[in-house]
Amino acid sequence: MSRHNSIANLDDDDLLEGEESGAPAGPERVPAVPEPVIIAQGRPRPALRLADLPEPEEIEASGPLSAEEEDLYALCMRGVEEFKTAWWVLGKSMANMNSRRLYRKTHPTFEAWVKDTLDKSRATAYEEMTAYVVGELVSARADKAFEEDSNSTSSARVPSIGKKAAGALNSVTKDYGAAVSVAVIETIEDSTGKKVPVKALTGIVQQLPRKKEKELTEEELTALARELAASEAGKTQPAEDAAERKDLTSLNSLRTAVSSLEAAHRALAPAKVRSALDEAPEEAARLLATAQDLSAKVAKRVG
């Protein structure tokens, strides 16, 4: 029997992987996979779209993949390969691999599959699978904005969100859904008048109560987010001034380091090196080896 369980609604305690048990999933238990697009030979295959992937659905499945599961497995792997940088499509592909147990084609567990395929931990994968629904929603809004005004839509008007920012909203997404998460970040950006750094966004979201502690309406949640963002903005200017001073200090430190390197280069003149080797061969050789090691490290850093 199929179990519907949206990844976005997982609580932190729900991230335990289910046991693989029961009879193999029958074809009727898997939603229809979009028909493959036939492309004329020699033409590039169109990029995978979010709409090409079905919604992730929890299925107790074991044994070999059915024919339809094989098709969906191939589709998800295509999403993994094509969209390692389009994080929301990758997240949805991972969600299908996990919820439908498609990983069993090559691996005994989702944890093993995601480690071998993407070099991600299971915890990181679950965070990205929670965040993808926010990226999917924002991406859909961006597509709509472009379609409505394709000739004059500027990048400043097109919605966008990075993986880390969406991940910072995971607690809101789990409690209230992607739409509320988007409302929260839009409220924060409206109140500050600019994109909020991930660190600041994380700090604001961490101060929002979890639903199990105190359930809020969307209006109450966004109002609280606005209040916290205004408070955070009051701390921003002094921090920016300090960062500018730090940049100047860093530049002065770099000047000092380069001057020291120039002095060391002069001190390591060939005649002085030969003289040191004559006076104390072993000690001089050890120091020269250290100098070569440091030289390689410096070259690597400035390269």
Side-chain angles (χ1 to χ4, degrees):
M1 181 176 180
S2 299
R3 256 189 318 116
H4 295 268
N5 187 7
S6 172
I7 292 293
N9 293 328
L10 284 175
D11 289 325
D12 297 331
D13 297 333
D14 292 332
L15 301 186
L16 294 176
E17 191 168 350
E19 294 292 328
E20 296 181 23
S21 61
E28 73 280 3
R29 300 167 69 187
V30 181
V33 177
E35 290 294 326
V37 179
I38 300 175
I39 305 299
Q41 187 174 0
R43 296 184 182 178
R45 180 173 60 177
L48 191 68
R49 302 167 303 165
L50 277 167
D52 294 330
L53 291 164
E55 291 305 311
E57 180 183 356
E58 289 288 340
I59 292 177
E60 294 295 341
S62 60
L65 270 59
S66 67
E68 290 192 43
E69 285 179 319
E70 287 280 3
D71 289 342
L72 183 53
Y73 175 89
L75 195 67
C76 290
M77 286 304 298
R78 180 179 159 195
V80 168
E81 292 304 318
E82 286 186 7
F83 291 94
K84 286 183 178 177
T85 55
W87 61 270
W88 54 92
V89 181
L90 176 58
K92 192 170 184 179
S93 296
M94 289 194 299
N96 271 291
M97 280 288 189
N98 180 52
S99 64
R100 298 173 184 277
R101 311 296 191 262
L102 299 175
Y103 57 78
R104 72 184 191 277
K105 176 180 173 69
T106 55
H107 291 77
T109 63
F110 175 71
E111 181 177 7
W113 177 84
V114 81
K115 179 65 178 175
D116 288 348
T117 307
L118 296 167
D119 195 26
K120 295 180 185 288
S121 69
R122 185 171 178 274
T124 297
Y126 264 94
E127 288 300 305
E128 293 181 10
M129 287 190 291
T130 298
Y132 97 78
V133 290
V134 174
E136 182 176 36
L137 181 56
V138 173
S139 173
R141 291 186 179 186
D143 290 343
K144 182 178 180 181
F146 185 80
E147 289 168 1
E148 290 178 349
D149 195 5
S150 60
N151 293 323
S152 60
T153 298
S154 67
S155 59
R157 289 174 53 202
V158 176
S160 64
I161 189 169
K163 178 171 69 175
K164 290 183 178 179
L169 291 159
N170 272 354
S171 59
V172 178
T173 304
K174 291 174 183 177
D175 286 349
Y176 297 98
V180 176
S181 280
V182 173
V184 166
I185 194 169
E186 286 178 345
T187 297
I188 292 171
E189 291 180 353
D190 286 345
S191 65
T192 59
K194 60 182 180 181
K195 285 280 185 183
V196 179
V198 174
K199 184 176 180 180
L201 176 62
T202 301
I204 292 170
V205 172
Q206 286 177 344
Q207 296 179 70
L208 298 174
R210 294 300 301 267
K211 190 175 184 179
K212 59 186 178 183
E213 299 166 357
K214 182 181 180 181
E215 184 171 354
L216 303 175
T217 65
E218 180 176 337
E219 290 74 19
E220 291 171 334
L221 196 66
T222 52
L224 179 55
R226 182 181 293 106
E227 180 182 332
L228 293 170
S231 175
E232 187 69 28
K235 307 172 187 176
T236 302
Q237 191 58 46
E240 290 176 351
D241 294 341
E244 185 175 352
R245 290 194 297 272
K246 182 179 179 181
D247 288 342
L248 293 174
T249 303
S250 298
L251 185 59
N252 290 333
S253 297
L254 180 59
R255 289 196 182 100
T256 301
V258 172
S259 297
S260 298
L261 286 173
E262 290 173 344
H265 181 262
R266 290 192 296 269
L268 289 169
K272 293 181 179 180
V273 171
R274 286 195 296 271
S275 178
L277 288 169
D278 290 340
E279 292 175 7
E282 292 185 2
E283 180 64 12
R286 185 185 67 79
L287 290 171
L288 288 172
T290 300
Q292 289 177 337
D293 182 52
L294 288 172
S295 176
K297 290 179 180 179
V298 169
K300 185 176 180 180
R301 284 194 174 184
V302 301

